[in-house]
Amino acid sequence: MSSADTPLPAVAPEVLAEAVENLTARLRKKLDAVTASCAAAAVREPDGSVGIRFGEDAVVTLRPGPEGTLTRAEQAVCSCLLAPRCLHRAAALGAAPLADTPLADTPLTDTPPAEALPVGAPPVPGEPARPRGPGTPPGPETPAPPERALTGAQTAAATALWEAAAEALAAGVTAGGAVVQAELLRAAHTARLAALPRAEAAALRVVRGLRAARERQAAQRLGDLTEAFRELLYTTALLASGSTDPALTGTSRRAYAPGGSLRVYGLCREPVLSATGYGGVVTHLLAPDGARYSVADVRPGGLARARGAGSASVALGGAALDHAGLARGGLRIAGATVSPEGRLGAGRGVKATPLPGTSWSDAPAAALFARPAAEAVADGLASQDGAEPALLGCDVAVVGAAGEHLLVREARPDGPLLRLRAAHPHPELPHADNLRRLAGHPGLRIRVLGRPDLDRAATLRPLAVGPVPGADHTLRLPEEWLGRADLGYDRLQGQHLPPAGPTSDTTPDTAPAAAPAPAGPDPLADSPLWRVRRLLETGVAGGRRAVAESARDADHRSGYGPLRRAGFTAAADCAAALAAEADRRPRDAFGRLGDPSAEGYARAWLAAAAHLSAAERSLVAASWASPPLT
């Protein structure tokens, strides 16, 4: 049973770290085995506390505060004689889910943890501010903050977190139990106290990933945990070296700045749904000067709230408008407050008046579709540096279905073949059903607004579609939809398609299946770089020992040949260096084997991961610029 399925309250990371640190070495060896049985034994009492019995003489009682979280050590007590330095108490806290770290100040509106927000959504409590894509200024021009030298406390905290991350990487999922996680949490808390929220957030993502992988949760992907390790090691390595880049330190506050008077027009709505129970909507907006903004309404409530929030009232300046109306309308805002990511605040001095909406064919939205998609993606890859990709628009012609994707061809001379992938795979949201219906109409011309998936070759996650101006074989949407359909909320029906499509009374589930289309080669999946990724993921799953064992395999060493023959000589060198470092065992002056340094292994792993990321991004950029396949 995973922690998400238990009645255990969430625990603050520092409380758990302290409980594990207080254990003796003998008790730490037993911690993982005892923790595994805690969730099933947890019983919620009528007073809101949670009790866990260990044998005849020990009962752990967890009493969360009003917010439902264990934030102080005295909220977890055990009846045994060794308490509070006992195995029972540490195991009970280790079985509880980790709480999210709060903001240093009160946010204007609630937002979920990092994994709850869609790509490009508003900022997250405890997370660094992420820059937006090219051509999207945050409204009022503000000078960049001056670079400040790191304090001694910050450098020490970053170094400690780097060392803890290196040890966790060397252990891998198989040995990354409660003790390893507690060391990461303790170092993450120190980073938080030293005002390094980006490093802290990266460490918490790694711990959550280790937990999910050890619990074999279905939603956990080894690739996600690998990326989380890369982000943590990259951030802490640069901070420990004294880097003064403000993007590395991050910010724990949402720095809303006065935005003056604004006019914004709706582009589309995007549902938000997370595995942690949050749901809501983000409505994307565009100003006449091309600046991009958003209004979010994300709160606990899960799927029901994600579906209902699409038509909920907009909490902004008293505007009598819901999100459905705002996505196809506009606002004139006086006294606006804007975050660096373009999120509009709902302060007391904000006043908003509804405006008529504009079509995608008119300014300012028309500019989104006038630029080749390859140029927008190339700019996004060049300036990303941790930022989420900006929305882009393009006109395409439907080719057909290819597995879970919808293949389309950009309607430009020598335009590439693109894959449209559902922005959210949940079956209760209409993303996938709408794409399946479009796949049944090869040759259909559609206008697409979405977010490029920069981890896959020529892949776009569409948020909304509309008819192509002047095209005959295109969508026929109701006039009140103002020329676009939000794929996460609106359901395309037969009457919205040309006469050759399914009849109006045919539902997406009963529509005839489209003939599969040839997907063509995938320059990313077909490249031998998968060998490097497999080596990195082997290290994350099995730790240093697994990489060392694979290095002794002749078949594995011969895998560097395809990399070199394909021109990826640097990738082959990085993989070989990682394998050699993993298998290195130092000897002392008497020839005795000693313990290898986890830091040297972590540096070799990070070098291979950083090079792989850069190489894959180059292939992704090339896939958007390639001519159509014949």
Side-chain angles (χ1 to χ4, degrees), residues 69-105:
T69 303
L70 301 168
T71 57
R72 303 189 310 276
E74 56 268 24
Q75 291 176 314
V77 298
C78 181
S79 61
C80 78
L81 297 177
L82 294 179
R85 300 172 179 267
C86 65
L87 179 63
H88 314 115
R89 180 173 174 273
L93 291 173
L98 288 178
D100 299 305
T101 54
L103 280 170
D105 57 354

mmCIF file of all heavy atoms in Angstrom, residues 69-105:
data_model
loop_
_atom_site.group_PDB
_atom_site.id
_atom_site.type_symbol
_atom_site.label_atom_id
_atom_site.label_comp_id
_atom_site.label_asym_id
_atom_site.label_seq_id
_atom_site.Cartn_x
_atom_site.Cartn_y
_atom_site.Cartn_z
ATOM 1 N N THR A 69 -1.128 18.710 8.964
ATOM 2 C CA THR A 69 0.268 18.349 8.732
ATOM 3 C C THR A 69 1.013 18.271 10.058
ATOM 4 O O THR A 69 0.749 19.043 10.985
ATOM 5 C CB THR A 69 0.950 19.391 7.827
ATOM 6 O OG1 THR A 69 0.218 19.492 6.615
ATOM 7 C CG2 THR A 69 2.377 19.002 7.513
ATOM 8 N N LEU A 70 1.954 17.336 10.141
ATOM 9 C CA LEU A 70 2.838 17.231 11.295
ATOM 10 C C LEU A 70 4.022 18.159 11.066
ATOM 11 O O LEU A 70 4.905 17.871 10.268
ATOM 12 C CB LEU A 70 3.319 15.793 11.475
ATOM 13 C CG LEU A 70 2.226 14.728 11.679
ATOM 14 C CD1 LEU A 70 2.809 13.331 11.554
ATOM 15 C CD2 LEU A 70 1.553 14.900 13.034
ATOM 16 N N THR A 71 4.025 19.266 11.764
ATOM 17 C CA THR A 71 5.078 20.263 11.563
ATOM 18 C C THR A 71 6.011 20.388 12.751
ATOM 19 O O THR A 71 7.024 21.078 12.654
ATOM 20 C CB THR A 71 4.455 21.645 11.278
ATOM 21 O OG1 THR A 71 3.589 21.999 12.375
ATOM 22 C CG2 THR A 71 3.653 21.617 9.979
ATOM 23 N N ARG A 72 5.700 19.720 13.870
ATOM 24 C CA ARG A 72 6.537 19.788 15.062
ATOM 25 C C ARG A 72 6.784 18.384 15.594
ATOM 26 O O ARG A 72 5.925 17.501 15.481
ATOM 27 C CB ARG A 72 5.882 20.642 16.157
ATOM 28 C CG ARG A 72 5.549 22.065 15.720
ATOM 29 C CD ARG A 72 5.105 22.909 16.910
ATOM 30 N NE ARG A 72 4.064 22.253 17.701
ATOM 31 C CZ ARG A 72 2.772 22.298 17.427
ATOM 32 N NH1 ARG A 72 2.354 22.971 16.357
ATOM 33 N NH2 ARG A 72 1.897 21.694 18.188
ATOM 34 N N ALA A 73 7.950 18.206 16.206
ATOM 35 C CA ALA A 73 8.327 16.883 16.697
ATOM 36 C C ALA A 73 7.357 16.375 17.749
ATOM 37 O O ALA A 73 7.063 15.164 17.804
ATOM 38 C CB ALA A 73 9.746 16.935 17.260
ATOM 39 N N GLU A 74 6.829 17.256 18.595
ATOM 40 C CA GLU A 74 5.942 16.808 19.671
ATOM 41 C C GLU A 74 4.574 16.344 19.173
ATOM 42 O O GLU A 74 3.777 15.826 19.972
ATOM 43 C CB GLU A 74 5.762 17.927 20.697
ATOM 44 C CG GLU A 74 5.240 19.230 20.140
ATOM 45 C CD GLU A 74 6.348 20.186 19.740
ATOM 46 O OE1 GLU A 74 7.464 19.705 19.463
ATOM 47 O OE2 GLU A 74 6.094 21.405 19.698
ATOM 48 N N GLN A 75 4.278 16.513 17.896
ATOM 49 C CA GLN A 75 3.014 16.014 17.362
ATOM 50 C C GLN A 75 3.058 14.518 17.057
ATOM 51 O O GLN A 75 2.032 13.947 16.687
ATOM 52 C CB GLN A 75 2.652 16.791 16.085
ATOM 53 C CG GLN A 75 2.283 18.245 16.339
ATOM 54 C CD GLN A 75 2.024 19.006 15.050
ATOM 55 O OE1 GLN A 75 2.787 18.914 14.093
ATOM 56 N NE2 GLN A 75 0.942 19.777 15.032
ATOM 57 N N ALA A 76 4.203 13.903 17.211
ATOM 58 C CA ALA A 76 4.349 12.453 17.026
ATOM 59 C C ALA A 76 4.959 11.876 18.293
ATOM 60 O O ALA A 76 6.113 12.177 18.627
ATOM 61 C CB ALA A 76 5.237 12.145 15.823
ATOM 62 N N VAL A 77 4.184 11.075 19.028
ATOM 63 C CA VAL A 77 4.649 10.519 20.299
ATOM 64 C C VAL A 77 4.494 9.005 20.282
ATOM 65 O O VAL A 77 3.630 8.454 19.591
ATOM 66 C CB VAL A 77 3.866 11.118 21.492
ATOM 67 C CG1 VAL A 77 4.086 12.615 21.587
ATOM 68 C CG2 VAL A 77 2.374 10.828 21.348
ATOM 69 N N CYS A 78 5.362 8.348 21.046
ATOM 70 C CA CYS A 78 5.317 6.893 21.163
ATOM 71 C C CYS A 78 5.269 6.529 22.642
ATOM 72 O O CYS A 78 5.861 7.221 23.491
ATOM 73 C CB CYS A 78 6.535 6.262 20.496
ATOM 74 S SG CYS A 78 6.557 4.440 20.556
ATOM 75 N N SER A 79 4.605 5.428 22.962
ATOM 76 C CA SER A 79 4.441 5.015 24.356
ATOM 77 C C SER A 79 5.574 4.129 24.858
ATOM 78 O O SER A 79 5.553 3.729 26.016
ATOM 79 C CB SER A 79 3.105 4.273 24.519
ATOM 80 O OG SER A 79 3.079 3.098 23.698
ATOM 81 N N CYS A 80 6.550 3.813 24.005
ATOM 82 C CA CYS A 80 7.619 2.912 24.438
ATOM 83 C C CYS A 80 8.640 3.661 25.284
ATOM 84 O O CYS A 80 8.667 4.890 25.325
ATOM 85 C CB CYS A 80 8.277 2.230 23.245
ATOM 86 S SG CYS A 80 9.431 3.272 22.352
ATOM 87 N N LEU A 81 9.538 2.904 25.931
ATOM 88 C CA LEU A 81 10.508 3.494 26.851
ATOM 89 C C LEU A 81 11.601 4.276 26.146
ATOM 90 O O LEU A 81 12.215 5.160 26.739
ATOM 91 C CB LEU A 81 11.130 2.389 27.720
ATOM 92 C CG LEU A 81 10.157 1.639 28.640
ATOM 93 C CD1 LEU A 81 10.885 0.535 29.388
ATOM 94 C CD2 LEU A 81 9.498 2.597 29.621
ATOM 95 N N LEU A 82 11.884 3.968 24.888
ATOM 96 C CA LEU A 82 12.954 4.636 24.161
ATOM 97 C C LEU A 82 12.514 5.949 23.513
ATOM 98 O O LEU A 82 13.344 6.669 22.956
ATOM 99 C CB LEU A 82 13.534 3.712 23.083
ATOM 100 C CG LEU A 82 14.273 2.473 23.569
ATOM 101 C CD1 LEU A 82 14.753 1.659 22.380
ATOM 102 C CD2 LEU A 82 15.445 2.852 24.465
ATOM 103 N N ALA A 83 11.224 6.219 23.531
ATOM 104 C CA ALA A 83 10.722 7.432 22.884
ATOM 105 C C ALA A 83 11.357 8.667 23.499
ATOM 106 O O ALA A 83 11.642 8.694 24.705
ATOM 107 C CB ALA A 83 9.203 7.489 23.016
ATOM 108 N N PRO A 84 11.608 9.724 22.692
ATOM 109 C CA PRO A 84 11.262 9.863 21.267
ATOM 110 C C PRO A 84 12.323 9.322 20.307
ATOM 111 O O PRO A 84 12.143 9.413 19.100
ATOM 112 C CB PRO A 84 11.122 11.370 21.113
ATOM 113 C CG PRO A 84 12.123 11.925 22.083
ATOM 114 C CD PRO A 84 12.139 10.986 23.253
ATOM 115 N N ARG A 85 13.418 8.759 20.845
ATOM 116 C CA ARG A 85 14.481 8.245 19.970
ATOM 117 C C ARG A 85 14.254 6.776 19.679
ATOM 118 O O ARG A 85 15.159 5.942 19.806
ATOM 119 C CB ARG A 85 15.844 8.458 20.629
ATOM 120 C CG ARG A 85 16.169 9.906 20.924
ATOM 121 C CD ARG A 85 17.430 10.027 21.754
ATOM 122 N NE ARG A 85 17.778 11.411 22.021
ATOM 123 C CZ ARG A 85 18.592 12.141 21.291
ATOM 124 N NH1 ARG A 85 19.180 11.601 20.235
ATOM 125 N NH2 ARG A 85 18.849 13.395 21.587
ATOM 126 N N CYS A 86 13.055 6.446 19.261
ATOM 127 C CA CYS A 86 12.709 5.037 19.072
ATOM 128 C C CYS A 86 12.446 4.724 17.606
ATOM 129 O O CYS A 86 12.152 5.610 16.794
ATOM 130 C CB CYS A 86 11.481 4.677 19.909
ATOM 131 S SG CYS A 86 9.971 5.531 19.423
ATOM 132 N N LEU A 87 12.535 3.438 17.304
ATOM 133 C CA LEU A 87 12.310 2.970 15.935
ATOM 134 C C LEU A 87 10.854 3.136 15.533
ATOM 135 O O LEU A 87 10.562 3.444 14.368
ATOM 136 C CB LEU A 87 12.733 1.501 15.840
ATOM 137 C CG LEU A 87 12.562 0.815 14.492
ATOM 138 C CD1 LEU A 87 13.437 1.489 13.435
ATOM 139 C CD2 LEU A 87 12.908 -0.671 14.597
ATOM 140 N N HIS A 88 9.928 2.950 16.473
ATOM 141 C CA HIS A 88 8.495 3.008 16.138
ATOM 142 C C HIS A 88 8.111 4.391 15.612
ATOM 143 O O HIS A 88 7.428 4.525 14.601
ATOM 144 C CB HIS A 88 7.653 2.677 17.373
ATOM 145 C CG HIS A 88 8.123 1.476 18.128
ATOM 146 N ND1 HIS A 88 8.603 1.545 19.414
ATOM 147 C CD2 HIS A 88 8.216 0.178 17.766
ATOM 148 C CE1 HIS A 88 8.943 0.343 19.828
ATOM 149 N NE2 HIS A 88 8.733 -0.511 18.842
ATOM 150 N N ARG A 89 8.547 5.417 16.309
ATOM 151 C CA ARG A 89 8.181 6.782 15.930
ATOM 152 C C ARG A 89 8.786 7.153 14.583
ATOM 153 O O ARG A 89 8.113 7.737 13.714
ATOM 154 C CB ARG A 89 8.656 7.753 17.009
ATOM 155 C CG ARG A 89 8.344 9.211 16.747
ATOM 156 C CD ARG A 89 8.718 10.057 17.960
ATOM 157 N NE ARG A 89 8.564 11.481 17.701
ATOM 158 C CZ ARG A 89 9.506 12.246 17.152
ATOM 159 N NH1 ARG A 89 10.685 11.706 16.813
ATOM 160 N NH2 ARG A 89 9.284 13.529 16.933
ATOM 161 N N ALA A 90 10.065 6.807 14.360
ATOM 162 C CA ALA A 90 10.706 7.123 13.086
ATOM 163 C C ALA A 90 10.039 6.372 11.936
ATOM 164 O O ALA A 90 9.870 6.920 10.840
ATOM 165 C CB ALA A 90 12.189 6.777 13.151
ATOM 166 N N ALA A 91 9.644 5.116 12.187
ATOM 167 C CA ALA A 91 8.989 4.333 11.136
ATOM 168 C C ALA A 91 7.624 4.909 10.779
ATOM 169 O O ALA A 91 7.244 4.981 9.602
ATOM 170 C CB ALA A 91 8.851 2.877 11.574
ATOM 171 N N ALA A 92 6.865 5.338 11.776
ATOM 172 C CA ALA A 92 5.547 5.916 11.511
ATOM 173 C C ALA A 92 5.671 7.207 10.702
ATOM 174 O O ALA A 92 4.906 7.436 9.754
ATOM 175 C CB ALA A 92 4.827 6.185 12.823
ATOM 176 N N LEU A 93 6.642 8.040 11.059
ATOM 177 C CA LEU A 93 6.844 9.270 10.301
ATOM 178 C C LEU A 93 7.353 8.965 8.895
ATOM 179 O O LEU A 93 6.996 9.648 7.927
ATOM 180 C CB LEU A 93 7.840 10.168 11.033
ATOM 181 C CG LEU A 93 7.350 10.774 12.354
ATOM 182 C CD1 LEU A 93 8.482 11.503 13.064
ATOM 183 C CD2 LEU A 93 6.178 11.714 12.117
ATOM 184 N N GLY A 94 8.183 7.936 8.756
ATOM 185 C CA GLY A 94 8.700 7.577 7.440
ATOM 186 C C GLY A 94 7.641 7.042 6.507
ATOM 187 O O GLY A 94 7.778 7.136 5.277
ATOM 188 N N ALA A 95 6.568 6.467 7.057
ATOM 189 C CA ALA A 95 5.484 5.954 6.210
ATOM 190 C C ALA A 95 4.524 7.044 5.765
ATOM 191 O O ALA A 95 3.734 6.844 4.836
ATOM 192 C CB ALA A 95 4.710 4.869 6.964
ATOM 193 N N ALA A 96 4.574 8.210 6.415
ATOM 194 C CA ALA A 96 3.660 9.301 6.073
ATOM 195 C C ALA A 96 4.141 10.027 4.830
ATOM 196 O O ALA A 96 5.338 10.094 4.550
ATOM 197 C CB ALA A 96 3.568 10.281 7.243
ATOM 198 N N PRO A 97 3.221 10.597 4.052
ATOM 199 C CA PRO A 97 3.636 11.382 2.876
ATOM 200 C C PRO A 97 4.327 12.661 3.298
ATOM 201 O O PRO A 97 4.086 13.192 4.389
ATOM 202 C CB PRO A 97 2.308 11.670 2.157
ATOM 203 C CG PRO A 97 1.270 11.567 3.223
ATOM 204 C CD PRO A 97 1.754 10.527 4.194
ATOM 205 N N LEU A 98 5.203 13.156 2.431
ATOM 206 C CA LEU A 98 5.924 14.387 2.720
ATOM 207 C C LEU A 98 5.023 15.595 2.476
ATOM 208 O O LEU A 98 4.308 15.663 1.470
ATOM 209 C CB LEU A 98 7.166 14.505 1.843
ATOM 210 C CG LEU A 98 8.339 13.580 2.169
ATOM 211 C CD1 LEU A 98 9.460 13.816 1.163
ATOM 212 C CD2 LEU A 98 8.834 13.814 3.581
ATOM 213 N N ALA A 99 5.089 16.541 3.388
ATOM 214 C CA ALA A 99 4.320 17.773 3.231
ATOM 215 C C ALA A 99 5.049 18.720 2.301
ATOM 216 O O ALA A 99 6.268 18.654 2.143
ATOM 217 C CB ALA A 99 4.097 18.426 4.592
ATOM 218 N N ASP A 100 4.307 19.603 1.681
ATOM 219 C CA ASP A 100 4.896 20.636 0.840
ATOM 220 C C ASP A 100 5.383 21.772 1.712
ATOM 221 O O ASP A 100 4.725 22.167 2.675
ATOM 222 C CB ASP A 100 3.867 21.175 -0.166
ATOM 223 C CG ASP A 100 3.377 20.084 -1.093
ATOM 224 O OD1 ASP A 100 4.216 19.444 -1.734
ATOM 225 O OD2 ASP A 100 2.154 19.870 -1.149
ATOM 226 N N THR A 101 6.534 22.322 1.372
ATOM 227 C CA THR A 101 7.065 23.434 2.149
ATOM 228 C C THR A 101 6.284 24.691 1.830
ATOM 229 O O THR A 101 6.020 24.994 0.662
ATOM 230 C CB THR A 101 8.547 23.653 1.824
ATOM 231 O OG1 THR A 101 8.697 23.813 0.420
ATOM 232 C CG2 THR A 101 9.361 22.463 2.280
ATOM 233 N N PRO A 102 5.896 25.488 2.829
ATOM 234 C CA PRO A 102 5.076 26.678 2.571
ATOM 235 C C PRO A 102 5.901 27.818 2.041
ATOM 236 O O PRO A 102 7.121 27.849 2.136
ATOM 237 C CB PRO A 102 4.514 27.017 3.961
ATOM 238 C CG PRO A 102 5.575 26.516 4.903
ATOM 239 C CD PRO A 102 6.151 25.280 4.250
ATOM 240 N N LEU A 103 5.197 28.784 1.473
ATOM 241 C CA LEU A 103 5.842 30.018 1.023
ATOM 242 C C LEU A 103 6.251 30.873 2.218
ATOM 243 O O LEU A 103 5.734 30.750 3.319
ATOM 244 C CB LEU A 103 4.874 30.830 0.162
ATOM 245 C CG LEU A 103 4.714 30.394 -1.295
ATOM 246 C CD1 LEU A 103 3.553 31.137 -1.887
ATOM 247 C CD2 LEU A 103 5.964 30.659 -2.072
ATOM 248 N N ALA A 104 7.201 31.761 1.960
ATOM 249 C CA ALA A 104 7.606 32.685 3.013
ATOM 250 C C ALA A 104 6.524 33.716 3.291
ATOM 251 O O ALA A 104 6.497 34.325 4.335
ATOM 252 C CB ALA A 104 8.900 33.387 2.619
ATOM 253 N N ASP A 105 5.617 33.925 2.358
ATOM 254 C CA ASP A 105 4.516 34.837 2.594
ATOM 255 C C ASP A 105 3.242 34.170 2.101
ATOM 256 O O ASP A 105 3.245 33.109 1.531
ATOM 257 C CB ASP A 105 4.727 36.182 1.880
ATOM 258 C CG ASP A 105 4.929 36.015 0.395
ATOM 259 O OD1 ASP A 105 5.027 34.862 -0.063
ATOM 260 O OD2 ASP A 105 4.997 37.042 -0.299
#
